[in-house]
Amino acid sequence: MARTPAPGTRDTILTAAAGLFYEYGVRAVGMAQVVEAAGCGKNLLYKHFPSKAELAAAYLTLVRRERERAAAEALRWSVDPADRLIAMVNEIADMVRRPGYRGCAFRNYLTEFPGESDEPARVAQTFLADSRAQLDRLVTGIGGDELLADRIWLIVNGLHSAPPTQAQVAVDWVTELVHAAAPA
């Protein structure tokens, strides 16, 4: 008779995989490494995640929830669209400055698997599209146009690959752009 998995086993596996995927990349991590890091058997891993793609999609979904929670926390302090836009970029800059930051998990996945249309790629693409839409709404809220949104999005993209010492430069630049566009 098969044993009943311990409560939280799925989360334990996902947490182990998330750490490995973020540190080494999804392509570089084998399922045997996940089994070892999670301290579970291969059958248990495959019971919860029948394929590596499903595990990668769950990882990116977990990261999305974490990013959305962090963004919501940053945005909740103001109702002013200009302040919210700056707060959003500042929150990303804070993330980039953290020890161990290895880039945006979504952009990393899409770089590792260019042209893919699997579930993890859809999770990554949807998150990035939704993030851009949120930025567009905030830019529209200050009376900005598509060009301003494009400029700020370019700065946000650059934040994810720039040295952490440049994070404040990005925030300052966005602040200048926002103040120049916002009605006095």
Side-chain angles (χ1 to χ4, degrees):
M1 175 180 283
R3 292 183 301 162
T4 304
T9 301
R10 183 183 190 283
D11 291 340
T12 300
I13 295 167
L14 182 54
T15 300
L20 291 168
F21 287 165
Y22 188 69
E23 186 170 351
Y24 301 108
V26 173
R27 188 180 299 278
V29 174
M31 295 299 261
Q33 289 172 278
V34 175
V35 166
E36 184 177 330
C40 69
K42 186 169 56 170
N43 290 342
L44 191 55
L45 168 67
Y46 284 108
K47 177 179 186 227
H48 289 286
F49 302 101
S51 69
K52 187 174 180 181
E54 287 184 46
L55 183 57
Y59 153 64
L60 292 172
T61 300
L62 174 68
V63 173
R64 179 182 180 130
R65 282 195 306 270
E66 292 168 357
R67 293 297 312 127
E68 287 173 342
R69 191 173 23 258
E73 178 65 21
L75 296 177
R76 79 180 186 96
W77 296 104
S78 179
V79 294
D80 178 65
D83 290 343
R84 290 169 58 90
L85 187 50
I86 294 165
M88 183 181 78
V89 175
N90 197 51
E91 187 279 324
I92 296 167
D94 287 345
M95 177 182 61
V96 167
R97 290 183 191 112
R98 287 187 203 123
Y101 180 76
R102 300 181 61 80
C104 168
F106 308 102
R107 289 168 177 86
N108 290 350
Y109 183 85
L110 294 172
T111 299
E112 277 190 273
F113 299 93
E116 283 291 328
S117 61
D118 60 359
E119 184 62 21
R122 287 190 295 276
V123 171
Q125 292 161 348
T126 300
F127 174 79
L128 294 174
D130 291 348
S131 297
R132 175 57 196 255
Q134 180 182 36
L135 184 142
D136 289 347
R137 287 189 299 276
L138 291 169
V139 167
T140 299
I142 65 168
D145 59 9
E146 188 176 342
L147 179 58
L148 178 61
D150 285 344
R151 288 176 175 168
I152 294 173
W153 188 247
L154 182 62
I155 293 168
V156 167
N157 281 327
L159 252 173
H160 289 288
S161 59
T165 56
Q166 295 296 305
Q168 190 58 49
V169 172
V171 173
D172 293 345
W173 195 5
V174 168
T175 301
E176 289 175 24
L177 290 169
V178 166
H179 286 240

